[in-house]
């Protein structure tokens, strides 16, 4: 079966798995698979005019891409936007030149030109794709999509549901508020939208997640918001967590609301254990806003609710040896609250006021503020290929930062200097304000890799650097 035929069939299955929600459709296309970045209108809010959005293949989220582990993906990106763009494959351990970072791994794709990405998919799991060029604008306009690499033996479920969570900042006319790139957003919590969206449609009570009694659903959650962190509560239910950032974990009941920082993913197993009635899925970070309704209907799928799900087979990760790891430090300063930072911009040391006024930047990493890709100075770190490293991240700011490393997975090994007993492989971790987090990894993927905050306004405001592995 051809790649595109299979993508299409997968999408038909996924569409059936999204009752009441806008299906994520993969468009059938000729090989190589085409992703056309463009401008169009889409119904985001339930009422009023359609919204002008940017997206791939005339949809936001873009087409759902599904692959088998080990498969080679060929994705031809056609830029029909009024700006240059790139596509980054968040969480996928790609060769460096396929990582989609302008000026670091490639020249940005100019308007009306194309670029073909080609890479193997080494790991199973839930991933996503989005531009890395002017991402503080291009992502919140709607350019993102889910990318799933299937396990050879998937966890048995009755259905799968994918929620690409994001937000839009819309005026009363339902059009995007054209205020991208404000230094006040760069230096604070970021440009937060006023319409949370699930799969490109306004979240709310009308978004139905229909469940039959004792049905088992795999819910893949992706936070594609440019700045918003989510804290999800599933009233009346206790889903199982089976993976973080696409990497399987021993299944465990979700005992507290689920924090999902920008870029992060979590796969849940949601059982129709309540059997009847309606239940709210809410975001406790957004005043308990209802994002969706779990609504029961139909006859029971089985006599009783299922027990613990099977674990996902682990992806191939190196064995970390903390004893032989080299130690490194990364201080974060800046923002509109707290102590003023002093840092280097373009090789000149200055205070944060001057950094903001003259450079439109607000944050420093190791006392340096970087322009978004444009002038990458020294890498933050240089590692030998295969080096085991521990990076102590010291957050000297009053803000939280979902930190994302490209090309690798890492483990959180200590928080505020206390060792973490149970460690998981992740590609994005949320640092709380004033928190210290030690991450450990084996630098085994050669190249220059971004290491940046996934509040995309922070990244554009200076919280962006690179790690060189050679
Ligand atoms: Cu940040």
């Amino acid at each position: 079966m051809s790649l595109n035929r299979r993508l299409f069939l997968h999408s038909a299955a996924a569409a059936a798995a999204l009752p009441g929600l806008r299906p994520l459709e993969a468009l059938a296309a000729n090989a190589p698979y085409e992703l056309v970045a463009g401008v169009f209108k889409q119904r985001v809010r339930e009422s009023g005019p359609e919204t002008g959005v940017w997206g791939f293949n005339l949809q936001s989220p873009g087409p759902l891409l599904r692959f088998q582990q080990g498969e080679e993906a060929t994705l031809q990106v056609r830029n029909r936007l009024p700006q240059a763009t790139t596509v980054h494959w968040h969480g996928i351990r790609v060769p460096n030149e396929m990582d989609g970072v302008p000026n670091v791994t490639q020249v940005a794709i100019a308007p009306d030109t194309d670029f073909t990405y080609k890479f193997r998919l080494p790991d199973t799991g839930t991933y996503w794709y989005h531009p890395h060029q002017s991402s503080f604008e291009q992502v919140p306009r709607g350019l993102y999509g889910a990318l799933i690499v299937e396990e050879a033996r998937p966890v048995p479920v009755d259905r799968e549901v994918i929620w690409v969570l994001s937000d839009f900042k819309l005026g009363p006319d339902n059009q995007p508020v054209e205020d991208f790139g404000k230094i006040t957003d760069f230096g604070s919590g970021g440009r937060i939208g006023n319409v949370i969206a699930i799969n490109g449609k306004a979240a709310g009570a009308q978004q139905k997640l229909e469940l039959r009694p004792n049905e088992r659903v795999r819910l893949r959650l992706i936070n594609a918001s440019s700045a918003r962190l989510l804290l999800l509560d599933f009233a009346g239910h206790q889903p199982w967590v089976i993976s973080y950032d696409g990497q399987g974990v021993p299944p465990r009941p979700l005992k507290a609301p689920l924090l999902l920082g920008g870029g992060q993913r979590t796969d849940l197993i949601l059982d129709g254990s309540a059997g009847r009635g309606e239940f709210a899925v809410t975001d406790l970070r957004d005043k308990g806003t209802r994002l969706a309704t779990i609504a029961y209907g139909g006859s029971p799928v089985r006599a009783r609710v299922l027990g613990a799900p099977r674990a996902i087979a682990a992806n191939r990760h190196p064995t970390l040896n903390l004893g032989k790891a080299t130690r490194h430090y990364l201080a974060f300063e800046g923002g509109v609250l707290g102590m003023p930072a002093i840092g280097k911009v373009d090789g000149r040391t200055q205070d944060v006021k001057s950094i903001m006024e003259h450079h439109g930047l607000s944050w420093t990493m190791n006392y340096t503020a970087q322009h978004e890709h444009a002038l990458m100075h020294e890498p933050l770190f240089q590692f030998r290929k295969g080096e085991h490293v521990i990076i102590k991240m010291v957050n000297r700011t009053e803000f939280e930062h979902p930190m994302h490393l490209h090309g690798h997975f890492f483990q959180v090994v200590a928080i505020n200097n206390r060792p973490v007993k149970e460690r998981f492989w992740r590609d994005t971790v949320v640092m709380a304000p004033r928190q210290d987090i030690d991450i450990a990894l084996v630098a085994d993927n050669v190249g220059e890799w971004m290491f940046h905050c996934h509040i995309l306004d922070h990244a554009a405001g200076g919280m962006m650097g690179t790690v060189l592995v050679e």
Side-chain angles (χ1 to χ4, degrees):
M1 207 187 328
S2 77
L3 170 70
N4 300 302
R5 173 82 185 131
R6 208 177 54 246
L7 280 167
F8 186 78
L9 290 179
H10 279 315
S11 78
L18 291 162
L21 296 180
R22 184 172 164 277
L24 285 164
E25 288 165 17
L27 299 180
N30 295 324
Y33 195 73
E34 281 185 0
L35 286 175
V36 184
V39 179
F40 54 96
K41 290 208 176 255
Q42 174 166 307
R43 176 148 299 287
V44 175
R45 273 191 176 129
E46 279 229 292
S47 57
E50 293 191 320
T51 298
V53 300
W54 295 9
F56 295 102
N57 298 11
L58 302 180
Q59 46 184 332
S60 173
L64 167 64
L65 304 175
R66 287 189 94 111
F67 298 96
Q68 301 295 323
Q69 187 174 20
E71 195 173 334
E72 186 171 77
T74 303
L75 297 141
Q76 191 167 43
V77 174
R78 299 180 175 277
N79 183 6
R80 301 295 176 264
L81 302 170
Q83 298 179 357
T85 193
T86 64
V87 179
H88 168 61
W89 316 92
H90 186 123
I92 310 273
R93 292 191 276 190
V94 295
N96 194 237
E97 64 274 17
M98 291 292 120
D99 201 38
V101 180
N103 300 323
V104 178
T105 68
Q106 70 171 96
V107 176
I109 312 164
D112 290 315
T113 63
D114 303 345
F115 185 89
T116 300
Y117 294 90
K118 201 170 186 157
F119 50 87
R120 234 177 47 80
L121 293 145
D123 302 309
T124 66
T126 303
Y127 304 95
W128 65 297
Y129 58 95
H130 64 84
H132 226 282
Q133 168 79 31
S134 303
S135 56
F136 65 91
E137 173 177 355
Q138 296 190 6
V139 172
R141 284 191 187 275
L143 283 160
Y144 41 76
L147 192 161
I148 287 166
V149 185
E150 295 186 29
E151 297 112 27
R153 289 177 65 230
V155 178
V157 293
D158 298 310
R159 271 189 309 137
E160 183 174 292
V161 173
I162 301 164
W163 279 4
V164 179
L165 297 150
S166 63
D167 64 10
F168 292 91
K169 185 170 175 181
L170 303 182
D173 57 355
N174 287 358
Q175 299 317 305
V177 179
E178 298 286 338
D179 65 345
F180 303 97
K182 270 173 28 191
I183 185 69
T184 44
D185 282 334
F186 283 7
S188 61
R191 180 181 175 277
I192 305 278
N194 55 353
V195 179
I196 301 176
I198 300 178
N199 298 340
K201 264 188 108 92
Q206 78 288 352
Q207 287 261 26
K208 293 277 197 292
L209 172 52
E210 285 162 12
L211 275 185
R212 287 169 63 189
N214 297 334
E215 188 180 19
R216 170 157 281 185
V217 167
R218 178 175 184 164
L219 181 57
R220 297 183 189 253
L221 300 168
I222 300 169
N223 187 353
S225 310
S226 55
R228 180 185 292 277
L229 284 80
L230 298 154
L231 189 61
L232 301 178
D233 183 63
F234 295 84
H237 295 78
Q238 190 173 67
W240 299 85
V241 176
I242 57 167
S243 75
Y244 291 120
D245 294 349
Q247 312 311 299
V249 299
R252 70 227 23 254
L254 180 68
K255 291 198 170 139
L258 175 70
L259 179 67
L260 211 56
Q264 289 188 313
R265 289 88 65 212
T266 298
D267 283 21
L268 299 176
I269 295 291
L270 177 64
D271 288 310
S273 54
R276 58 194 295 181
E278 294 201 342
F279 298 84
V281 180
T282 52
D283 175 15
L284 301 183
R285 290 289 294 264
D286 193 66
K287 298 167 283 186
T289 297
R290 184 189 285 229
L291 304 185
T293 302
I294 297 175
Y296 281 89
S299 54
V301 172
R302 52 185 62 82
R304 57 182 51 113
V305 70
L306 294 168
R310 201 179 67 208
I312 296 169
N315 287 318
R316 192 192 290 211
H317 290 290
T319 306
L320 264 172
N321 184 338
L322 298 184
K324 77 171 192 187
T326 53
R327 288 194 154 270
H328 309 268
Y329 296 86
L330 183 51
F332 298 80
E333 295 188 335
V336 295
L337 302 170
M339 293 288 287
I342 290 173
K344 263 193 182 153
V345 185
D346 302 339
R348 222 167 60 81
T349 304
Q350 42 208 294
D351 69 12
V352 77
K353 191 161 166 286
S354 150
I355 292 173
M356 287 178 82
E357 280 175 12
H358 301 297
H359 299 278
L361 298 170
S362 184
W363 308 93
T364 63
M365 288 167 79
N366 276 359
Y367 319 106
T368 300
Q370 305 264 29
H371 290 285
E372 194 193 28
H373 309 307
L375 290 163
M376 279 298 165
H377 304 273
E378 296 292 297
L380 290 166
F381 303 108
Q382 298 192 30
F383 300 136
R384 291 183 324 279
K385 188 187 179 203
E387 187 172 343
H388 294 233
V389 305
I390 297 173
I391 303 171
K392 179 179 282 294
M393 300 194 292
V394 180
N395 183 7
R396 294 197 184 122
T397 81
E398 305 299 328
F399 293 87
E400 51 198 347
H401 305 289
M403 292 302 301
H404 173 46
L405 175 64
H406 289 208
H408 297 79
F409 293 98
F410 55 78
Q411 291 185 349
V412 172
V413 296
I415 295 174
N416 290 336
N417 300 308
R418 294 171 63 105
V420 171
K421 282 200 202 86
E422 202 178 17
R423 302 184 203 144
F424 306 117
W425 291 104
R426 300 211 68 143
D427 56 49
T428 308
V429 64
V430 178
M431 281 195 303
R434 299 259 151 206
Q435 191 175 52
D436 289 3
I437 292 189
D438 295 19
I439 61 168
L441 65 133
V442 179
D444 55 4
N445 201 353
V446 169
E448 186 166 10
W449 301 101
M450 299 306 301
F451 189 22
H452 67 93
C453 181
H454 225 288
I455 291 177
L456 300 172
D457 307 281
H458 291 183
M463 203 169 266
M464 182 175 263
T466 65
V467 172
L468 185 63
V469 181
E470 53 189 6

